[in-house]
C-alpha cells in the first residue's frame, strides 16, 4: 500500500512533469518528426519503469524528486540510454543543451 502511494506521488511529481518538459524541449529544439515519435514511445515505456523503481526504492525516489526540484538532474538523465528510442531523444536533448 505504501509502495502504491509512493509510486503515485512519484508519477505526479516526476513522471508527468518529465513528459511535459521533454516534449517542450523537443519542440523547442525542433527535432525531426522521427525523433519526436521515438520520444513518445520512449516515454510510454519509461514512465511505468520509473514509477515501479520509485515504488521499490524509496530512497532513490526521494533523492530523484529533490534533485529534479533543485534542477540538479536533467530530464534526459532519467531515460534508459540502452533503449534505442530513448537514446535518440537523450542524445538530441543533450546536444541541444550543450549548444545553448
Amino acid at each position: 500500500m505504501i509502495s502504491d502511494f509512493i509510486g503515485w506521488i512519484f508519477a505526479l511529481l516526476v513522471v508527468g512533469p518529465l513528459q511535459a518538459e521533454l516534449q517542450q524541449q523537443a519542440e523547442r529544439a525542433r527535432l525531426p518528426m522521427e525523433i519526436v515519435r521515438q520520444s513518445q514511445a520512449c516515454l510510454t515505456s519509461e514512465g511505468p519503469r520509473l514509477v515501479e523503481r520509485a515504488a521499490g526504492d524509496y530512497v532513490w525516489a526521494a533523492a530523484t524528486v529533490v534533485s529534479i526540484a533543485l534542477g540538479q538532474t536533467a530530464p534526459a538523465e532519467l531515460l534508459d540510454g540502452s533503449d534505442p528510442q530513448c537514446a535518440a531523444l537523450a542524445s538530441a536533448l543533450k546536444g541541444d543543451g550543450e549548444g545553448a
Side-chain angles (χ1 to χ4, degrees):
M1 184 161 171
I2 290 177
S3 294
D4 293 336
F5 179 71
I6 297 295
W8 178 79
I9 292 292
F10 189 82
L12 182 68
L13 297 176
V14 175
V15 176
L18 170 67
Q19 291 175 334
E21 185 170 345
L22 288 175
Q23 183 158 351
Q24 183 181 41
Q25 286 182 2
E27 290 171 1
R28 201 173 345 155
R30 297 182 185 185
L31 298 177
M33 192 52 123
E34 182 60 29
I35 292 179
V36 173
R37 275 190 234 118
Q38 287 178 345
S39 71
Q40 292 168 343
C42 170
L43 295 174
T44 300
S45 67
E46 288 296 299
R49 184 190 65 80
L50 291 170
V51 169
E52 183 177 318
R53 181 173 179 191
D57 186 351
Y58 305 146
V59 174
W60 177 83
T64 301
V65 168
V66 170
S67 180
I68 287 174
L70 296 176
Q72 295 174 338
T73 298
E77 294 177 33
L78 293 178
L79 302 176
D80 181 6
S82 64
D83 183 340
Q85 294 172 332
C86 294
L89 176 62
S91 67
L93 291 175
K94 286 177 185 174
D96 178 58
E98 290 170 1

